[in-house]
Amino acid sequence: MSTDTVRASKSAKILYRPFGLVSSMVGGLLAGQLFKQVYKRVARTEHEESPGPLVDEYPVKELLVASLIQGAIYAAVKALIDRGGARAFQRWTGEWPGK
C-alpha cells in the first residue's frame, strides 16, 4: 500500500466527519418520527405515545416490545443513512470515507 493511499484515506475520514455527524442527526430525527408512526399503528392500547422507562402506567412487556421496535427502526435508518452518505461522499470526492 503506498503512502498516497494512506494519506487519501485519512483525509477522506477527516473530511467525512462533519458530513457524517449531520447525516446522523437527521437520521435520528427521521427514525424518531418513523417510530412514532409505527407505534401508533402497532400498539393496541389506549395510549397514543410510546412507553418510556420511567412511566409506570405501561406494563413492562409493552415497554420491552416498544423498545425492541424502536431499536430496530433506529438501527435500520442509521445503516441506510450511513451507507447513503458514504456513497454520496464517494461520488463527490472519489474516495470512500470508511476503512
Side-chain angles (χ1 to χ4, degrees), residues 30-52:
L30 289 172
Q33 292 301 314
L34 180 60
F35 170 69
K36 286 180 184 178
Q37 295 303 314
V38 168
Y39 186 79
K40 283 180 187 178
R41 287 175 173 73
V42 172
R44 296 183 180 188
T45 65
E46 67 276 357
H47 307 293
E48 288 194 19
E49 293 189 20
S50 62

Side-chain angles (χ1 to χ4, degrees), residues 3-42:
T3 57
D4 292 335
T5 305
V6 173
R7 234 181 267 132
S9 177
K10 286 183 181 179
S11 65
K13 285 182 183 181
I14 291 170
L15 290 173
Y16 181 72
R17 283 185 184 166
F19 184 76
L21 181 62
V22 170
S23 66
S24 291
M25 290 170 44
V26 170
L29 293 172
L30 289 172
Q33 292 301 314
L34 180 60
F35 170 69
K36 286 180 184 178
Q37 295 303 314
V38 168
Y39 186 79
K40 283 180 187 178
R41 287 175 173 73
V42 172

